[in-house]
Amino acid sequence: MLKDFSLRINGRTYKVTAFEEEPLLWVIRERLRLTGTKFGCGMGICGACTVLLEGKAVRSCLLTVRDAVDKPIVTIEGVPSNHPLKRAWIEHQVPQCGYCQPGQLMEAYALLLENPRPTRQQIIERLSSHLCRCGTYGRILMAVEAASRGGKT
């Protein structure tokens, strides 16, 4: 049965009608048209659908809309365009096809919020659950390292 929900996404409150068990991913993408968050596997394996929920990186394909009610959510659209991580992503030419990049960037963003100066090993471990078909893992690592230094390469 359809129900009305209130979601706080990127500092804005959205009223949405959805099924209680509908994955948060589909509500974000299809109902609210915030299409930066991607569908990859639908099983929480690839990481393409990663968003921040209460400041923690989560797979939005595994959460229901009901799980996210009145909790702050940040999608790729909510990361400031001038954030060092976004600048480093461009400077290090990370994207190839770009499909996995929102999830990768959101995981890195969460890491930097928790630990502004992670070690190389911490970055590798944190991002190890994200899949990239283009294999830009080395560039991703360099970008996160640069962002942790304030964007300095």
Side-chain angles (χ1 to χ4, degrees), residues 74-95:
V74 179
T75 67
I76 189 74
E77 292 92 347
V79 178
S81 60
N82 64 347
H83 191 278
L85 189 57
K86 279 192 173 178
R87 288 195 319 264
W89 228 253
I90 293 165
E91 289 170 10
H92 290 275
Q93 300 176 354
V94 172

Side-chain angles (χ1 to χ4, degrees), residues 29-77:
R29 284 189 58 78
E30 302 300 324
R31 298 192 186 270
L32 300 177
R33 296 290 188 217
L34 296 170
T35 58
T37 304
K38 304 299 184 206
F39 170 76
C41 66
M43 298 180 290
I45 296 169
C46 73
C49 68
T50 300
V51 299
L52 270 59
L53 181 70
E54 296 184 307
K56 302 291 181 199
V58 297
R59 305 296 212 262
S60 64
C61 71
L62 297 178
L63 294 173
T64 67
V65 65
R66 184 187 49 195
D67 296 329
V69 170
D70 292 326
K71 296 175 182 173
I73 301 164
V74 179
T75 67
I76 189 74
E77 292 92 347

